[in-house]
């Protein structure tokens, strides 16, 4: 009698544990085991901000990360774009480097959204754009985390590693660019800021895994980035060049385009395609473009 009561209690306890495990943490609604909801994909948005970079990453569990925010005049456009994607908070913000085509709109973004953490390379620049970002960072009560090779950005369910800057000193400010590798299932995204040939070679020297399905092409398609050795190591199937129509720099440069085309990768350009969104469940990859 006593033994059967114990068994009954154990069974009850097991049922309670099982039932409590059957709720979706986000909604607290019971999950119907017959039709489990499709998990959200990882989305990487290359936002058209003319001549500049702004990249939004939305993880399957609803975390948001922003890498760069375009020129000053695009701050409000980035905010609008993020709001249209349902962003209410940025868990991580990365400033690839201090040039205004990457951090110009970042002060407005930090003023607008709650931010969890901000990563920047250890380089300062005496420009209004950069000072404005630092003022916004301070106002938000944030402490800048130093971005460098080997740093892991804590995201749930998505691996996010920083592959650069590798060295502490570079002659060119662009070469301090933070390089981000996001990996999810079978796919990875490599975001290279404006890093040129020298940091590309430094990254190769670290033996870090830099294979990626999608490469954000370095420095808006400048001749000084995208060395063949680097492109071969990445082995990307898709390349995204972020640049403005009729820009003052003649981007993308022919020599870089030739090297990119030689790899056989398919190229998307924000000046031609507008904003470009990659979406993956870790297996399949979907691409949608504004134009
Ligand atoms: Zn740039």
């Amino acid at each position: 009698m006593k033994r059967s009561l114990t068994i009954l209690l154990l069974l009850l306890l097991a049922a309670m544990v099982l039932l409590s495990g059957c709720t979706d943490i986000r909604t607290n609604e019971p999950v119907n085991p017959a039709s489990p909801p499709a998990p959200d994909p990882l989305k990487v948005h290359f936002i058209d901000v003319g001549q500049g970079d702004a990249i939004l990453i939305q993880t399957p569990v609803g975390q948001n990360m922003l890498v760069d925010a375009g020129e000053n005049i695009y701050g409000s456009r980035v905010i609008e774009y993020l709001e249209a994607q349902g962003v209410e908070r940025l868990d991580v913000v990365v400033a690839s480097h201090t040039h205004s085509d990457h951090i110009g709109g970042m002060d407005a973004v930090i003023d607008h959204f709650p931010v969890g953490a901000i990563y920047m390379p250890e380089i300062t620049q005496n420009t209004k754009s950069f000072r404005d970002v630092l003022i916004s960072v301070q106002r938000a009560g944030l402490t800048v985390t130093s971005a460098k090779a080997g740093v892991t950005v804590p995201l749930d369910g998505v691996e996010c590693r920083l592959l650069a800057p590798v060295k502490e000193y570079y002659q060119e400010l662009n070469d301090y660019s933070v390089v981000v590798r996001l990996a999810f299932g079978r796919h990875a995204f490599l975001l290279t800021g404006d890093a040129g040939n020298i940091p590309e070679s430094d990254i190769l020297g670290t033996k870090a895994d830099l294979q990626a399905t999608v490469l954000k092409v370095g420095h808006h398609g400048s001749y000084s980035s995208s060395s063949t050795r680097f492109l071969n190591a990445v082995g990307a199937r898709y390349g995204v060049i972020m640049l403005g129509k009729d820009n003052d720099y003649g981007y993308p440069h022919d020599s870089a385009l030739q090297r990119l085309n030689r790899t056989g990768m398919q190229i998307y350009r924000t000046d031609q395609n507008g904003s470009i969104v990659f979406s993956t469940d870790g297996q399949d990859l979907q691409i949608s473009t504004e134009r």
Side-chain angles (χ1 to χ4, degrees):
M1 181 65 198
K2 218 175 175 184
R3 208 172 133 214
S4 61
L5 192 69
T6 313
I7 290 167
L8 189 71
L9 276 171
L10 279 172
L11 281 171
L12 252 168
L13 194 69
M16 276 166 70
V17 168
L18 280 172
L19 279 173
S20 68
C22 274
T23 48
D24 186 333
I25 296 157
R26 279 166 302 172
T27 59
N28 235 16
E29 293 286 322
V31 172
N32 179 0
S35 59
D40 285 333
L42 170 73
K43 282 186 174 180
V44 181
H45 306 250
F46 296 91
I47 308 166
D48 179 16
V49 286
Q51 181 53 42
D53 280 16
I55 303 156
L56 168 68
I57 296 115
Q58 296 187 288
T59 76
V61 296
Q63 290 180 307
N64 298 300
M65 171 171 167
L66 184 73
V67 179
D68 292 340
E71 286 282 2
N72 279 277
I73 52 160
Y74 288 105
S76 53
R77 181 164 178 183
V78 172
I79 291 169
E80 274 168 34
Y81 188 97
L82 266 54
E83 284 189 326
Q85 308 311 316
V87 173
E88 288 173 354
R89 172 195 151 84
L90 288 166
D91 299 277
V92 179
V93 172
V94 177
S96 72
H97 62 298
T98 58
H99 280 152
S100 65
D101 57 328
H102 297 255
I103 55 125
M106 199 167 272
D107 52 339
V109 170
I110 296 168
D111 291 346
H112 190 86
F113 295 100
V115 173
I118 181 157
Y119 292 75
M120 288 188 191
E122 280 178 20
I123 176 83
T124 56
Q125 201 187 10
N126 192 15
T127 57
K128 186 177 183 308
S129 290
F130 188 55
R131 283 198 302 273
D132 285 349
V133 172
L134 293 183
I135 289 166
S136 291
V137 164
Q138 203 166 31
R139 199 161 37 213
L142 292 162
T143 313
V144 175
T145 305
S146 169
K148 56 179 94 172
V151 169
T152 299
V153 176
L155 286 179
D156 295 331
V158 176
E159 187 189 295
C160 182
R161 291 243 165 87
L162 306 186
L163 308 189
V166 174
K167 294 195 175 142
E168 278 170 27
Y169 178 77
Y170 289 100
Q171 206 156 2
E172 292 286 329
L173 210 149
N174 284 330
D175 288 345
Y176 285 90
S177 284
V178 179
V179 173
V180 179
R181 184 176 182 272
L182 288 158
F184 180 57
R186 289 174 50 199
H187 298 292
F189 295 79
L190 194 68
L191 315 174
T192 56
D194 284 356
N197 291 329
I198 294 167
E200 282 176 357
S201 150
D202 291 340
I203 295 167
L204 288 167
T206 64
K207 309 281 180 216
D209 183 4
L210 61 158
Q211 280 207 319
T213 314
V214 181
L215 169 69
K216 198 295 295 188
V217 172
H219 200 186
H220 321 285
S222 165
Y223 70 89
S224 54
S225 299
S226 308
S227 64
T228 299
R229 211 158 71 86
F230 185 75
L231 294 179
N232 287 343
V234 177
R237 202 148 27 110
Y238 304 98
V240 177
I241 311 178
M242 304 194 77
L243 73 174
K245 213 168 231 154
D246 305 322
N247 61 77
D248 297 340
Y249 312 94
Y251 301 142
H253 293 151
D254 283 340
S255 59
L257 270 184
Q258 279 168 21
R259 290 194 295 275
L260 292 162
N261 283 325
R262 230 177 281 143
T263 67
M265 69 165 70
Q266 194 177 338
I267 292 171
Y268 289 88
R269 299 167 52 159
T270 54
D271 61 337
Q272 295 175 351
N273 302 113
S275 296
I276 301 148
V277 185
F278 289 81
S279 179
T280 179
D281 59 3
Q283 291 284 324
D284 299 326
L285 187 76
Q286 260 111 41
I287 307 159
S288 65
T289 61
E290 196 181 353
R291 293 193 284 278

